[in-house]
Amino acid sequence: MFTGLSAFPLTPLRDDRLDLDAFGRIVAMLAESGVDSVTALGSTGSYAYLDRDERQRVVGAAVEAAGGTPVIAGIGALRTSHAIAFARDAVDAGARAVLLAPLTYQALTDDDAYGFYADVLEHLPVPLVVYDNPGTTHFTFTDALYGRIAALPGVASIKIPGLPAGVTAEQRVAQLRDVVPEHVTIGISGDAFAARALNGGCDAWYSVIAGTLPAPALRITRAAQAGERDEAEAESARLQPIWDLFAAHGSNRVVAAIAEELGLAHPGSLPLPLRGLGEEGRMRVREALAELDLR
Amino acid sequence: MFTGLSAFPLTPLRDDRLDLDAFGRIVAMLAESGVDSVTALGSTGSYAYLDRDERQRVVGAAVEAAGGTPVIAGIGALRTSHAIAFARDAVDAGARAVLLAPLTYQALTDDDAYGFYADVLEHLPVPLVVYDNPGTTHFTFTDALYGRIAALPGVASIKIPGLPAGVTAEQRVAQLRDVVPEHVTIGISGDAFAARALNGGCDAWYSVIAGTLPAPALRITRAAQAGERDEAEAESARLQPIWDLFAAHGSNRVVAAIAEELGLAHPGSLPLPLRGLGEEGRMRVREALAELDLR
């Protein structure tokens, strides 16, 4: 469950309410495409904006629509007791694993973050993916902290936010392998890095784009897994217009616009105050979809 | 209500539940001290960590304990519809005004933030304080955006996060007065800046320290209001050990430790994962309280 391609679907809203019909159709499409897992309530799934009842309904809908494909559920919260409650709800709804980011309002110390994971894991009957996403959480993991947390019983994988400048993917994986136990997989996020990271030895890709357009993400993943390094890199290079849009507007707004454009979600699918892409950005999205034959 | 000293009390927890007895005693002490308003559920009041039911109970307890002192209530949320619901609850519980920060998980554009305030104000029967706290929200206001938002009907005050380097307080107030309507007051936060800012023409001090130790904050405020600039600055300078602790550990952790030390809150008063000050920080807090005769 913690290797290969995990697809992160949007949680589309309609008039500020969950659009579970649209969500179920997206998850079913992902499962049919052959992704290795579906992660509901990732950042792309707007978990941080949803209340407890909404989150539980989203996980239930994901499990139902995913069929035999395992569902991982995001349980991130600012408060430890809330994350524990979200985890309980997610497991009750059928999630096979959970994904947890250290959200911040007040800055967290390393000991705060370690305690957060330790306290949640103490109550957790399923494996946990450590979610490092400094762009949204404003928390920075050190490799030493990865190591401390990954040694806690129940940690199955670490979702790293990309590759730092100046090291190869192979070097980065080696650095992480030095601190993280063998049974804990290393998954890349930051879609533009995925081909390089998978070619360099990452075990998994926790993917934004795969949650809306699974086919090109599967091509990259299966090529890398088969040792066809050049094919993986070439498909990623072909998608550069998408990566450029992600860098300019944030991946969340761009995939929401793609989903709206493709009829997978109704307009205004993001939770306000997020207004989504403006008209110019949407035009570039339409151009990219046509140019890349992704419709 | 939007001038003078507003005191921001902690919302003490005990075993991860609201300790409304301790909270009520703190608010009553603040009201008796003569502060001009009490702001419940500020950052110091851990609003971001509390659920809807907890927030409403905190506002109700604040209004009851504050007697004739007006209560402003924080209503910050990531999602517009949640902030609107928190505002409704706060007004129902007796809050006379609300305080709203643009929280972020996904980064907000200026148009997102403007829309957030416009949408909340549309439903709001009481005045609103715009809360700029980039250290916790990771959103940066421009002066132009202050101007756009301050022009919305219902905005009563702007809480600025401190004074930038290289300008005097008088210059900063003049810059803000250029963009903000006359009826909108300008309040300083960042307690270490307060004496300078009040001497320089700020109308209000939205104060962390006043929520736990109102006496020295009142001395600074009343001196500045009486034109006794040197007295205000001298009292602030005397409190430098407290400002140094705020800078080193964050004001929230330090006032929680002060409140615990003074018996105003039980140990572990912050919401986990925030573990509060370590033993070395607590020792420095005890030393500062003794040295400054603040017990």
Side-chain angles (χ1 to χ4, degrees):
Chain A
M1 190 170 18
F2 307 106
T3 59
L5 182 63
S6 190
F8 280 54
L10 293 159
T11 307
L13 301 187
R14 191 174 182 182
D15 300 326
D16 204 59
R17 288 165 186 274
L18 296 179
D19 184 354
L20 290 184
D21 290 342
F23 178 72
R25 282 193 294 273
I26 293 171
V27 172
M29 177 267 288
L30 300 178
E32 282 158 27
S33 77
V35 299
D36 298 299
S37 64
V38 169
T39 302
L41 299 177
S43 294
T44 306
S46 296
Y47 75 94
Y49 298 84
L50 304 181
D51 65 27
R52 182 171 176 179
D53 174 64
E54 289 172 327
R55 293 187 193 212
Q56 185 160 28
R57 288 162 58 213
V58 167
V59 178
V63 169
E64 194 185 322
T69 305
V71 171
I72 305 170
I75 59 165
L78 283 169
R79 188 158 157 198
T80 304
S81 54
H82 294 176
I84 291 170
F86 296 155
R88 193 182 312 127
D89 292 348
V91 172
D92 287 349
R96 300 261 299 274
V98 297
L99 173 76
L100 181 60
L103 295 194
T104 62
Y105 182 78
Q106 303 290 348
L108 297 181
T109 66
D110 280 9
D111 284 344
D112 290 339
Y114 176 81
F116 183 54
Y117 283 97
D119 289 347
V120 170
L121 283 160
E122 199 181 312
H123 299 82
L124 195 66
V126 297
L128 179 142
V129 180
V130 176
Y131 187 3
D132 181 5
N133 190 353
T136 55
T137 65
H138 304 284
F139 180 79
T140 302
F141 282 88
T142 61
D143 285 1
L145 184 60
Y146 279 153
R148 283 176 72 194
I149 293 172
L152 288 164
V155 173
S157 186
I158 292 189
K159 177 181 183 296
I160 63 170
L163 297 169
V167 293
T168 66
E170 285 78 1
Q171 287 167 335
R172 183 68 189 129
V173 170
Q175 288 169 350
L176 292 167
R177 277 280 150 240
D178 271 354
V179 293
V180 167
E182 192 56 43
H183 68 273
V184 174
T185 72
I186 297 168
I188 188 77
S189 59
D191 286 357
F193 294 101
R196 257 203 318 133
L198 292 170
N199 280 340
C202 274
D203 308 291
W205 177 14
Y206 296 108
S207 172
V208 173
I209 195 70
T212 304
L213 297 171
L218 278 163
R219 284 194 288 272
I220 291 171
T221 307
R222 299 307 178 226
Q225 287 175 325
E228 297 160 357
R229 303 171 61 96
D230 294 349
E231 284 78 352
E233 295 264 21
E235 180 65 0
S236 180
R238 195 178 78 86
L239 297 175
Q240 192 61 45
I242 302 284
W243 311 151
D244 290 343
L245 282 163
F246 281 11
H249 302 287
S251 60
N252 189 239
R253 283 179 171 83
V254 174
V255 288
I258 292 174
E260 293 172 14
E261 186 61 27
L262 298 179
L264 296 170
H266 289 275
S269 63
L270 292 174
L272 286 175
L274 303 175
R275 290 185 181 240
L277 279 194
E279 195 39 53
E280 196 190 318
R282 283 174 196 274
M283 211 157 67
R284 289 184 58 205
V285 163
R286 282 191 288 270
E287 287 166 7
L289 289 175
E291 181 189 330
L292 302 177
D293 200 21
L294 291 172
R295 285 185 164 275
Chain B
M1 191 169 19
F2 307 107
T3 58
L5 181 64
S6 191
F8 281 55
L10 294 160
T11 307
L13 301 188
R14 191 174 182 181
D15 299 327
D16 204 60
R17 289 166 184 274
L18 296 179
D19 184 353
L20 290 184
D21 290 342
F23 178 72
R25 282 193 295 271
I26 292 171
V27 172
M29 177 268 289
L30 300 177
E32 282 157 28
S33 76
V35 299
D36 297 300
S37 64
V38 169
T39 302
L41 299 177
S43 293
T44 305
S46 297
Y47 74 95
Y49 298 84
L50 303 182
D51 64 26
R52 183 171 176 180
D53 174 65
E54 289 172 327
R55 293 187 193 212
Q56 185 160 29
R57 288 162 58 214
V58 167
V59 178
V63 169
E64 194 185 323
T69 304
V71 171
I72 305 170
I75 59 165
L78 283 170
R79 187 157 157 201
T80 304
S81 54
H82 293 175
I84 290 170
F86 296 155
R88 193 181 313 126
D89 292 348
V91 172
D92 287 350
R96 299 262 299 274
V98 297
L99 173 76
L100 181 60
L103 295 195
T104 62
Y105 181 77
Q106 303 290 349
L108 298 180
T109 66
D110 280 8
D111 284 345
D112 291 338
Y114 176 81
F116 182 55
Y117 282 97
D119 289 347
V120 170
L121 282 160
E122 200 181 311
H123 299 82
L124 195 66
V126 297
L128 179 142
V129 180
V130 176
Y131 187 3
D132 181 4
N133 190 352
T136 55
T137 66
H138 303 284
F139 179 79
T140 302
F141 282 88
T142 60
D143 285 1
L145 184 61
Y146 278 154
R148 283 176 71 195
I149 292 173
L152 288 164
V155 173
S157 186
I158 293 189
K159 177 180 182 298
I160 63 170
L163 297 169
V167 293
T168 66
E170 285 78 1
Q171 287 167 336
R172 183 68 189 128
V173 170
Q175 288 169 349
L176 292 167
R177 278 280 149 238
D178 271 353
V179 294
V180 166
E182 190 57 42
H183 68 274
V184 174
T185 70
I186 297 168
I188 188 76
S189 58
D191 285 357
F193 294 102
R196 255 202 321 133
L198 292 170
N199 281 340
C202 274
D203 308 292
W205 177 13
Y206 295 109
S207 172
V208 173
I209 195 70
T212 303
L213 296 170
L218 278 162
R219 284 195 289 271
I220 291 171
T221 307
R222 298 309 177 222
Q225 288 174 324
E228 297 159 357
R229 303 171 61 97
D230 293 349
E231 284 78 353
E233 296 264 21
E235 179 66 0
S236 179
R238 195 177 77 87
L239 297 174
Q240 192 61 45
I242 301 284
W243 310 151
D244 290 343
L245 282 163
F246 281 12
H249 302 287
S251 61
N252 190 238
R253 284 179 170 82
V254 174
V255 288
I258 292 174
E260 293 171 13
E261 187 61 28
L262 298 180
L264 296 170
H266 289 274
S269 64
L270 292 175
L272 285 176
L274 304 174
R275 289 183 183 241
L277 281 195
E279 195 39 52
E280 195 190 320
R282 283 175 196 273
M283 211 159 66
R284 289 184 57 205
V285 162
R286 281 191 289 270
E287 285 166 6
L289 290 175
E291 181 189 331
L292 302 176
D293 199 21
L294 291 172
R295 286 185 165 273

